Amino acid sequence: GHAAPDEAFMAIDGNPATTAITNAVRGSNWWRMDFNPFFAGYTVTTVKVINRQDCCKDGLNDAKVQLFGSTDEGFLQEKTVGNNIVQQTFTFNVSGVHAVEIELSSWHLDGDMLLNDLRQLQLAEVEVRGTPPPNELAKCSVECVERAQCLTN
């Protein structure tokens, strides 16, 4: 139900002309980025989602952008992608809480039921910005450049 690893990488390759498309055939339909081990301890401030440019602008309509913390913290916040966006930036207010992953999915709540609309998510790029832990400030800029899309303020 998720994007294949090589295709999933296209959402963080720095090239908005490439597209990650999830497989909606079975159950869950999501794209996920795990921040460990390179960015463990960072406080996520913004997530920018860039839609594919060539077609299918509705491929991200109403998708959920979810931020997760450690096992103890679990789900932190959720934002909803607008309709037919070119790009959209979401601000997360989780000061001092260290995110471990971000997920885009087509899951949604309908009353008390969690439903999946079984459609493909199609995205060009995901950029995550955050604040490193205090002891990481000095090496952050080098590591962030080397690891493409996790950028600091």
Side-chain angles (χ1 to χ4, degrees):
H2 62 280
D6 58 336
E7 187 172 299
F9 176 76
M10 292 191 181
I12 58 167
D13 67 355
N15 181 358
T18 60
T19 303
I21 302 173
T22 63
N23 180 352
V25 174
R26 294 192 169 179
S28 63
N29 186 20
W30 49 265
W31 178 92
R32 182 180 298 149
M33 184 165 101
D34 185 348
F35 300 141
N36 290 320
F38 301 113
F39 297 103
Y42 277 60
T43 299
V44 172
T45 55
T46 62
V47 174
K48 182 193 292 185
V49 177
I50 302 172
N51 206 352
R52 67 184 294 177
Q53 306 301 304
D54 57 343
C55 74
C56 315
K57 298 253 190 268
D58 62 347
L60 286 176
N61 287 1
D62 300 319
K64 305 302 180 207
V65 180
Q66 300 167 321
L67 187 63
F68 293 89
S70 67
T71 304
D72 292 338
E73 295 156 342
F75 173 77
L76 299 173
Q77 284 187 359
E78 176 180 279
K79 308 289 182 171
T80 302
V81 177
N83 288 333
N84 303 317
I85 65 158
V86 173
Q87 66 183 30
Q88 188 170 2
T89 300
F90 302 95
T91 301
F92 289 90
N93 184 12
V94 290
S95 181
V97 177
H98 304 258
V100 296
E101 71 181 29
I102 187 108
E103 179 175 301
L104 275 77
S105 74
S106 64
W107 289 97
H108 63 279
L109 280 175
D110 185 3
D112 290 337
M113 296 188 61
L114 188 61
L115 303 175
N116 186 337
D117 61 13
L118 298 178
R119 66 185 166 94
Q120 291 180 321
L121 294 179
Q122 302 181 36
L123 57 147
E125 289 294 311
V126 177
E127 296 178 2
V128 179
R129 295 183 183 266
T131 306
N135 61 345
E136 298 289 319
L137 284 171
K139 65 180 188 175
C140 176
S141 60
V142 172
E143 287 192 11
C144 288
V145 169
E146 290 174 356
R147 288 172 182 79
Q149 297 302 312
C150 192
L151 310 170
T152 59
N153 289 332

